[in-house]
């Protein structure tokens, strides 16, 4: 039985239909991506499925006791929930274990009751099964699980006690995602889960979903993420869903093949219709009138009931970059270059001496805040070098796509922005150009300040295409673009004859374009250069991590321990000592539990054993806290 099914759903806002005829089923352990252009109704459909909205028609059936976790694009708080803003990140995550914590409190009360002879028998009968259930459900490990999830999603130890009120909207959304993962629902419904995650956190989430046994329905513009997490694609259109098997790359191939077959069938039917119409025209008044009348009747039935429609590509962005002449062979060079903000004491990172040659594409990657945009601005001369130098080659015409679209003037109209690049652009040419970027004729007089994020991004790309650059510096060019527009942009960049330096979290785009990867480490302050595609870079990095783990000192090897630094050696030895202590305490608690169960009606013995058990449990909690601090490489308090 499916976890959730829906039949013939439709939803409209006012007189405008969002979608009609949507039927679907989500089986156990499904991994499904919901795709479609912006504005088609993906978020609306998710809200229907999780019960936050009602369809205008159709029905939704959920399995009995189905637990659904829903992540909206942005975490919001109604007035009735404003008190939650004063909760810490850790307290929000603890909510996922409310039942376990309730059991934990009951166990503590039972332990106290065991010291009272009048209540010991009843407490003992309840305690054993409850303690076994508590341990089986992860009662002794849930704090470590919270740590694992928060670390994976990019929260530092200092973030644990920050309140939601102190966090940005994106950080609140990450906290909500952490709680949803910890709640372990039967079905996760995720609306753009990677929006506020850096590359490392997205990779961690991919690993979590790979091991997680529940079902997931995901809306995301991250094509690489979809390639590594889903095995089915639902494409939403105005008249329903089309289903494709496989990941995102498989979907692209199948969609092309399906549309080619549909076009072939359409052309064959049109040829048949033309032949029939010609026969009817020539014979309707002749001696073959009866045959012509019969054919006309069958043709009319075909046209009214079985006529195929020509596949129409959705209105899509059309992008073309023309290189502005040939540049020199050496486009970018650095010598002993150090990057940093001019108003900060510490530098961000050091750059190895490198040369970017004509026609190459380098992808600059690294965590948020590592200094990627600052590097681009340093190349442009907007930020001075902290040390060394960066040189641009000869005959360059640079096109710079700014992530925040700061190069757009808010008080300009859309047409005025285009004229700032090409003053000779005629109104008709401007309208035609804007039409290729999904702007209507009326949009030409809109002010930039009223445009959406996606519209600003498309306008910035239109300006970039007009510049005729032979070096493109692109800072997050796929932000706010829907999947079809991302595909078009990728194809345009693949055919661009100039040189590209790309800053992006879009790993799919990086893997398609980049011939080398420039990776910035957040810790260590340096950039490394990898010659090859992103997928090859990931493989090499993982292999290096495996080799590093294999070469780490083993606890039983004195020779290897001597290779560890003094402070690290002390920490590792202390960690082993605490682990041994925890194991001994757990064994003692098991032994005391068995003795309590075997004590029968010996009230005094049960009381003493109960006190012993409570003391052991308190000592175990303290040992676990020490272990967690040591595992995080923190000094004991």
């Amino acid at each position: 039985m499916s976890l959730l099914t829906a039949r013939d759903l439709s939803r409209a806002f006012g007189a405008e239909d969002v979608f009609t005829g949507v039927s679907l089923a989500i089986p156990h352990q499904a991994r499904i991506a919901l795709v479609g252009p912006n504005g088609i109704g993906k978020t609306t459909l998710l809200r229907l499925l999780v019960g936050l909205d009602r369809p205008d028609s159709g029905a939704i059936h959920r399995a009995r006791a189905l637990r659904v976790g829903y992540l909206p694009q942005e975490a919001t708080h109604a007035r009735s929930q404003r008190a939650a803003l004063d909760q810490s990140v850790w307290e929000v995550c603890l909510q996922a274990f409310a039942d376990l914590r309730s059991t934990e409190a009951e166990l503590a009360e039972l332990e106290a009751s065991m010291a009272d002879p009048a209540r010991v028998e009843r407490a003992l009968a309840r305690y054993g099964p409850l303690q076994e259930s508590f341990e089986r459900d992860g009662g002794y490990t849930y704090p470590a699980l919270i740590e694992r999830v928060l670390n994976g999603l990019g929260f530092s130890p200092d973030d644990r006690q920050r309140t939601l009120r102190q966090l940005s909207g994106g950080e609140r959304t990450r906290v909500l995602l952490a709680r949803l993962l910890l709640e372990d629902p039967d079905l996760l419904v995720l609306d753009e889960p990677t929006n506020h995650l850096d590359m490392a956190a997205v990779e961690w989430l991919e690993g979590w979903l790979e091991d997680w046994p529940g079902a997931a329905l995901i809306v995301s513009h991250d094509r690489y993420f979809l390639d590594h997490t889903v095995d089915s694609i639902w494409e939403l259109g105005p008249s329903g869903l089309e289903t494709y098997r496989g990941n995102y790359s498989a979907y692209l191939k199948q969609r092309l093949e399906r549309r080619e077959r549909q076009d072939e069938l359409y052309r064959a039917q049109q040829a048949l219709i033309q032949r029939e119409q010609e026969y009817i025209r020539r014979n309707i008044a002749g001696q073959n009138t009866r045959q012509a009348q019969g054919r006309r009747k069958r043709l009319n039935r075909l046209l009214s009931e079985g006529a195929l429609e020509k596949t129409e590509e959705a209105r899509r962005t059309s992008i073309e970059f023309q290189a502005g002449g040939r540049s020199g062979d050496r486009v970018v060079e650095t010598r002993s270059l150090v990057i940093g903000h001019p108003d900060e004491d510490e530098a961000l990172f050091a750059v190895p001496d490198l040369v970017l040659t004509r026609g190459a594409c380098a992808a600059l990657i690294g965590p948020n805040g590592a200094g990627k945009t600052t590097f681009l601005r340093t190349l442009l001369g907007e930020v001075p070098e902290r040390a060394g130098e960066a040189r641009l080659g000869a005959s360059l015409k640079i096109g710079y796509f700014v992530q925040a679209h700061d190069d757009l003037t808010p008080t300009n109209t859309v047409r005025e922005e285009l004229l700032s690049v090409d003053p000779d652009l005629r109104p008709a040419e401007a309208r035609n150009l804007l039409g290729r970027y999904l702007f209507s004729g009326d949009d030409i007089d809109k002010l930039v300040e009223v445009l959406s994020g996606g519209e600003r991004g498309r306008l910035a790309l239109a300006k970039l295409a007009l510049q005729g650059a032979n070096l493109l510096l692109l800072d997050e060019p796929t932000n706010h673009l829907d999947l079809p527009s991302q595909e078009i942009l990728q194809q345009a960049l693949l055919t661009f004859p100039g040189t590209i330096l790309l800053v992006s979290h879009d790993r799919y785009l990086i893997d398609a374009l980049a011939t080398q990867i420039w990776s910035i480490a957040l810790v260590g302050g340096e950039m490394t250069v990898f010659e090859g595609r992103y997928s090859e870079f990931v493989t090499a990095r993982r292999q290096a991590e495996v080799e590093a783990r294999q070469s780490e000192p083993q606890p039983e090897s004195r020779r290897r321990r001597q290779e560890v630094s003094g402070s690290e050696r002390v920490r590792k030895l202390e960690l082993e000592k605490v682990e041994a202590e925890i194991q001994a305490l757990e064994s003692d608690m098991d032994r005391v539990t068995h003795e309590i169960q075997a004590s029968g009606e010996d009230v005094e013995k049960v009381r003493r054993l109960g006190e012993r058990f409570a003391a052991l449990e308190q000592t175990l909690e303290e040992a676990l806290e020490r272990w967690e601090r040591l595992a995080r490489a923190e000094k004991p308090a």
Side-chain angles (χ1 to χ4, degrees):
M1 177 181 176
S2 296
L3 295 175
L4 184 149
T5 58
R7 179 172 50 84
D8 292 331
L9 299 182
S10 67
R11 189 70 174 95
F13 293 110
E16 183 176 351
D17 287 333
V18 180
F19 51 74
T20 60
V22 171
S23 297
L24 55 86
I26 302 177
H28 291 269
Q29 298 183 321
R31 294 290 190 276
I32 302 167
L34 178 63
V35 304
N38 288 343
I40 199 63
K42 300 186 292 297
T43 294
T44 299
L45 179 58
L46 295 189
R47 289 178 57 82
L48 296 181
L49 297 181
V50 301
L52 293 178
D53 198 359
R54 292 185 178 182
D56 296 323
S57 63
I60 299 172
H61 181 267
R62 303 175 185 88
R64 181 173 298 178
L66 176 68
R67 296 179 301 118
V68 179
Y70 173 54
L71 179 76
Q73 288 192 35
E74 298 289 344
T76 57
H77 296 271
R79 288 186 177 180
S80 60
Q81 300 173 311
R82 292 296 167 83
L85 294 175
D86 294 321
Q87 292 180 321
S88 69
V89 171
W90 187 263
E91 288 170 336
V92 172
C93 291
L94 283 177
Q95 294 171 3
F97 302 99
D99 292 341
L100 268 180
R101 298 184 72 212
S102 176
T103 302
E104 192 173 29
E106 185 178 354
L107 286 171
E109 292 177 1
L110 290 171
E111 289 162 8
S113 298
M114 290 179 188
D116 184 351
R119 296 187 293 170
V120 65
E121 186 174 346
R122 178 176 296 179
L124 185 61
R126 172 67 176 155
Y127 187 89
L130 190 64
Q131 193 270 343
E132 182 181 349
S133 172
F134 180 72
E135 182 176 5
R136 183 179 62 248
D137 293 340
Y140 296 113
T141 60
Y142 73 84
L145 183 58
I146 294 176
E147 291 281 358
R148 176 190 168 196
V149 171
L150 289 177
N151 288 338
L153 293 178
F155 289 100
S156 70
D158 293 339
D159 291 330
R160 308 299 195 259
Q161 299 309 316
R162 293 175 66 195
T163 65
L164 295 188
R165 195 180 301 278
Q166 296 172 308
L167 303 182
S168 68
E171 289 171 325
R172 292 178 190 177
T173 302
R174 278 195 287 143
V175 175
L176 176 56
L177 175 58
R179 192 184 72 190
L180 290 178
L181 297 180
L182 292 166
E183 285 174 347
D184 193 29
D186 304 308
L187 171 62
L188 270 175
V189 179
L190 306 177
D191 196 353
E192 299 292 356
T194 66
N195 267 4
H196 305 288
L197 303 180
D198 62 18
M199 206 173 283
V202 174
E203 290 177 351
W204 178 87
L205 181 58
E206 289 169 359
W208 176 281
L209 291 174
E210 183 178 358
D211 298 333
W212 181 64
L217 175 60
I218 302 169
V219 169
S220 178
H221 287 93
D222 189 329
R223 298 169 292 171
Y224 201 89
F225 177 73
L226 296 182
D227 253 5
H228 287 76
T229 55
V230 306
D231 52 26
S232 183
I233 304 288
W234 291 348
E235 185 180 59
L236 180 62
S239 58
L241 287 175
E242 283 195 61
T243 301
Y244 299 82
R245 300 181 67 86
N247 62 9
Y248 183 80
S249 293
Y251 149 75
L252 290 179
K253 182 179 179 181
Q254 292 174 48
R255 184 184 64 179
L256 178 62
E257 293 172 347
R258 189 176 297 185
R259 289 177 177 174
E260 286 176 346
R261 288 197 302 271
Q262 290 173 340
D263 283 340
E264 185 177 346
L265 291 173
Y266 173 80
R267 288 192 296 270
Q269 188 180 73
Q270 289 300 304
L272 172 64
I273 290 171
Q274 290 178 4
R275 290 196 301 271
E276 291 298 287
Q277 288 174 335
E278 178 63 19
Y279 180 89
I280 293 167
R281 185 187 63 79
R282 287 188 288 103
N283 293 283
I284 193 66
Q287 51 183 313
N288 294 325
T289 297
R290 182 171 297 178
Q291 292 90 329
Q293 290 175 337
R295 288 195 177 190
R296 183 168 61 183
K297 185 176 182 181
R298 289 192 296 272
L299 179 60
N300 289 337
R301 188 183 306 121
L302 172 65
L303 293 174
S304 62
E305 300 177 2
L308 299 175
E309 294 185 0
K310 182 179 181 180
T311 59
E312 292 186 7
E313 286 289 330
R315 189 171 172 239
R316 299 173 70 178
T317 311
S318 176
I319 303 172
E320 183 178 1
F321 296 105
Q322 297 290 340
R326 179 188 176 98
S327 70
D329 290 337
R330 301 166 77 87
V331 178
V332 176
E333 293 184 70
T334 67
R335 292 288 182 271
S336 304
L337 179 62
V338 178
I339 299 296
H341 297 298
D343 55 349
E344 294 183 3
D345 294 334
E346 293 188 9
L348 290 168
F349 61 91
V351 180
D353 293 348
L354 54 80
V355 177
L356 182 64
T357 57
R358 178 172 48 84
C361 174
L364 180 60
I365 65 173
N368 293 336
K372 302 183 293 294
T373 297
T374 304
F375 179 81
L376 295 185
R377 295 183 63 204
T378 301
L379 293 182
L380 292 169
E382 297 177 0
V383 174
E385 301 94 335
R386 294 297 292 266
E389 63 175 335
R391 291 202 303 264
L392 297 178
S395 304
L396 284 180
K397 187 170 184 182
I398 301 172
Y400 180 31
F401 182 93
V402 184
Q403 177 182 353
H405 311 314
D406 293 336
D407 58 334
L408 301 179
T409 303
T411 55
N412 273 356
T413 66
V414 171
R415 180 172 179 270
E416 287 169 341
E417 280 297 305
L418 295 182
L419 292 176
S420 69
V421 180
D422 185 356
D424 298 326
L425 198 64
R426 294 192 295 264
E429 293 173 328
R431 286 190 174 86
N432 290 336
L433 175 65
L434 290 170
R436 291 164 49 193
Y437 290 83
L438 304 188
F439 288 98
S440 67
D442 296 335
D443 291 332
I444 195 168
D445 293 320
K446 274 187 178 180
L447 292 178
V448 170
E449 61 188 4
V450 304
L451 299 180
S452 67
E455 289 171 330
R456 291 186 183 210
R458 296 198 305 272
L459 178 58
L461 287 172
K463 289 180 60 179
L464 191 65
L466 279 176
Q467 292 177 21
N470 53 24
L471 170 61
L472 296 179
L473 303 182
L474 306 176
D475 195 351
E476 301 293 353
T478 57
N479 276 7
H480 306 295
L481 295 183
D482 59 16
L483 291 177
S485 296
Q486 289 182 32
E487 294 292 338
I488 294 297
L489 174 60
Q490 178 176 307
Q491 188 58 42
L493 293 174
L494 279 170
T495 58
F496 175 65
T499 308
I500 300 174
L501 179 51
L502 170 68
V503 170
S504 180
H505 287 91
D506 188 341
R507 296 166 295 164
Y508 202 93
L509 182 70
I510 292 171
D511 200 39
L513 297 179
T515 54
Q516 50 187 283
I517 308 297
W518 299 355
S519 176
I520 305 171
L522 186 59
V523 178
E526 66 179 86
M527 175 201 290
T528 58
V529 175
F530 178 85
E531 296 285 347
R533 297 177 58 205
Y534 178 76
S535 53
E536 297 168 340
F537 165 77
V538 171
T539 300
R541 185 188 62 188
R542 289 176 178 169
Q543 181 61 35
E545 291 171 353
V546 170
E547 292 173 356
R549 285 195 297 268
Q550 291 173 345
S551 64
E552 285 181 355
Q554 298 300 316
E556 68 276 7
S557 172
R558 179 175 302 175
R559 178 184 61 80
R560 289 181 178 178
R561 281 180 185 165
Q562 292 173 347
E563 298 172 359
V564 182
S565 66
S567 60
E568 179 67 8
R569 178 183 176 187
V570 170
R571 190 187 70 82
K572 286 182 175 291
L573 289 172
E574 185 65 21
L575 193 61
E576 294 171 24
K577 180 181 176 181
V578 175
E579 287 173 349
E581 181 183 347
I582 290 172
Q583 186 174 2
L585 286 168
E586 290 175 338
S587 298
D588 288 346
M589 290 175 67
D590 288 341
R591 185 171 61 256
V592 171
T593 299
H594 291 310
E595 290 180 13
I596 291 174
Q597 293 171 344
S599 296
E601 298 181 357
D602 190 340
V603 176
E604 181 60 25
K605 183 177 181 180
V606 169
R607 184 187 64 77
R608 291 197 308 271
L609 290 171
E611 292 174 349
R612 171 65 176 157
F613 186 93
L616 287 170
E617 186 173 44
Q618 178 63 33
T619 305
L620 177 62
E621 289 180 358
E622 294 170 356
L624 286 170
E625 289 177 1
R626 294 202 309 276
W627 183 90
E628 289 176 8
R629 289 197 299 268
L630 289 165
R632 296 196 302 267
E634 295 179 355
K635 295 180 180 179

